[in-house]
Amino acid sequence: MNTKRIYTQKGEVLDFTFSQNRYDFIVDEIPLGEFSNRGNFLVLKIKKIFISTWDLLSIISEKLDIDEHQIGYSGLKDKNATTTQYISIPLNKSRDFKLLNSKYIEVLDTFRHHEKLKIGNLKGNKFKITLKDINPDNLMTLYNRISKIQKHGVPNYFGFQRFGKDEKFDKTRAIVYGEEIIKDKKLEKFMKFTYQSYFFNAWLAKRVELSNEQSLNKLLVLKGDIFEDKSKKVITGLLPGRNVVRAKDEAGEIEKEFDDIFIHEKGLRRAAWVYPQNIKNKYIKEKNWMELEFSLPKSSYATVVIEAIANKNFGH
């Protein structure tokens, strides 16, 4: 199956420099709501640099003597970035939380809360990304594409960082099928979800191709499509697995090409389209830079938005 991500942009590729690093890729988690300021948990607002969420959990576990399963978090954050996210710990283990402060970790604030944070328990993320080496001749096209994305949204692919270097997915497939065993259960679960994501991306690329044939700025609706909600605005795609509703009719025939009935993990449906919010941009002429800010709902990738602007794939 094709792993290339295809977009609705027409015209040439826009060449600019985009890299994930502490200065040019900044992510702030948006909580689901206000914290209760009571209860047996302490929520830490943590700013970190060059540290993945999993590494952060290990550091918290070691420094505060907390079992990792007692530590709550709402989402995974990129390692190669400056990121701010919320982590919950048991209140009775919170006395020494300042020990976490280091060159790469800073506790910015704390809140009492009545429950442990859970995966998905966030509204989304706010991004500030710097695009460099912009050709001034392409500036109008760049503005037009950003405007189009603000109006029409982008395909909600899993970003390249989801997949790593196993582009043929041979190792991942072997783990899913039980032909290869790894001891790290957290990594095993992640790789199984990656395998499901691979099918979703390939399906979405196919659907975008069909939409491009009709010169549409959104997915072409097919008979049998399953939508995110009753508004029928956003079509959903399949992450293959058990106990999941599958599309029917014309949409179902295409979906079958990107299914695997032997996956024993729980199946899911994922929104196939996403609409960036609060887009702002500032062009710095002296440096040929653009500072781009926007927010995305959870389970969406900022790198996908940048790819849609450039009309090309980054990473692997």
Side-chain angles (χ1 to χ4, degrees), residues 16-211:
F16 50 73
T17 300
F18 162 66
S19 60
Q20 290 182 259
N21 60 60
R22 64 179 293 185
Y23 303 109
D24 300 327
F25 198 81
I26 299 171
V27 188
D28 293 318
E29 187 173 272
I30 305 171
L32 194 59
E34 297 290 330
F35 298 111
S36 62
N37 288 322
R38 58 181 175 79
N40 295 321
F41 295 89
L42 188 72
V43 176
L44 309 175
K45 182 180 181 181
I46 294 179
K47 178 180 178 180
K48 60 184 182 63
I49 301 169
F50 298 140
I51 296 174
S52 71
T53 299
W54 286 355
D55 289 339
L56 177 62
L57 299 181
S58 296
I59 292 169
I60 293 172
S61 175
E62 180 180 349
K63 290 205 170 188
L64 302 186
D65 190 27
I66 305 173
D67 289 336
E68 277 197 37
H69 73 271
Q70 293 183 294
I71 304 171
Y73 63 100
S74 299
L76 299 174
K77 297 291 177 287
D78 293 283
K79 178 178 181 179
N80 298 317
T82 296
T83 63
T84 300
Q85 71 178 119
Y86 296 85
I87 303 289
S88 69
I89 59 175
L91 190 64
N92 61 2
K93 294 282 189 176
S94 66
R95 178 181 298 177
D96 298 324
F97 74 84
K98 291 183 179 179
L99 293 174
L100 298 173
N101 288 320
S102 69
K103 183 178 179 180
Y104 300 106
I105 297 175
E106 181 183 2
V107 179
L108 300 176
D109 208 346
T110 61
F111 311 87
R112 287 274 294 275
H113 200 43
H114 62 278
E115 63 180 355
K116 174 185 172 183
L117 295 182
K118 298 184 177 80
I119 284 287
N121 210 5
L122 73 161
K123 186 175 181 181
N125 295 285
K126 180 179 179 181
F127 299 89
K128 183 175 181 181
I129 296 170
T130 303
L131 309 179
K132 297 182 176 179
D133 302 320
I134 295 170
N135 184 340
D137 294 338
N138 293 335
L139 195 56
M140 187 55 65
T141 302
L142 185 62
Y143 281 128
N144 287 338
R145 288 192 181 175
I146 292 171
S147 178
K148 179 183 175 183
I149 286 169
Q150 186 164 23
K151 182 178 180 180
H152 299 291
V154 296
N156 193 26
Y157 292 108
F158 289 95
F160 62 83
Q161 58 270 59
R162 161 67 66 180
F163 302 102
K165 297 180 179 180
D166 184 20
E167 293 186 28
K168 295 183 179 179
F169 298 93
D170 293 336
K171 181 179 177 65
T172 307
R173 185 184 295 107
I175 292 169
V176 170
Y177 282 20
E179 297 167 357
E180 185 171 331
I181 305 299
I182 56 176
K183 294 181 179 179
D184 188 333
K185 295 303 178 184
K186 188 163 54 178
L187 178 59
E188 179 187 40
K189 185 176 181 180
F190 179 79
M191 291 184 74
K192 288 180 177 179
F193 187 59
T194 295
Y195 188 62
Q196 294 172 307
S197 307
Y198 162 65
F199 285 94
F200 175 89
N201 269 20
W203 166 85
L204 183 52
K206 175 68 173 181
R207 291 294 299 264
V208 172
E209 281 184 337
L210 293 176
S211 299

Side-chain angles (χ1 to χ4, degrees), residues 224-270:
D225 269 325
I226 298 174
F227 294 86
E228 187 176 40
D229 54 40
K230 292 181 180 179
S231 70
K232 293 191 174 182
K233 182 179 181 181
V234 177
I235 296 168
T236 63
L238 176 70
L239 278 79
R242 57 181 173 80
N243 300 332
V244 60
V245 178
R246 287 169 163 84
K248 297 179 180 179
D249 300 319
E250 187 180 5
E253 288 302 311
I254 294 176
E255 191 169 277
K256 285 178 184 177
E257 300 175 32
F258 307 96
D259 198 352
D260 187 338
I261 61 173
F262 297 104
I263 298 176
H264 297 300
E265 297 300 301
K266 179 176 172 56
L268 298 167
R269 297 204 68 88
R270 169 182 168 89

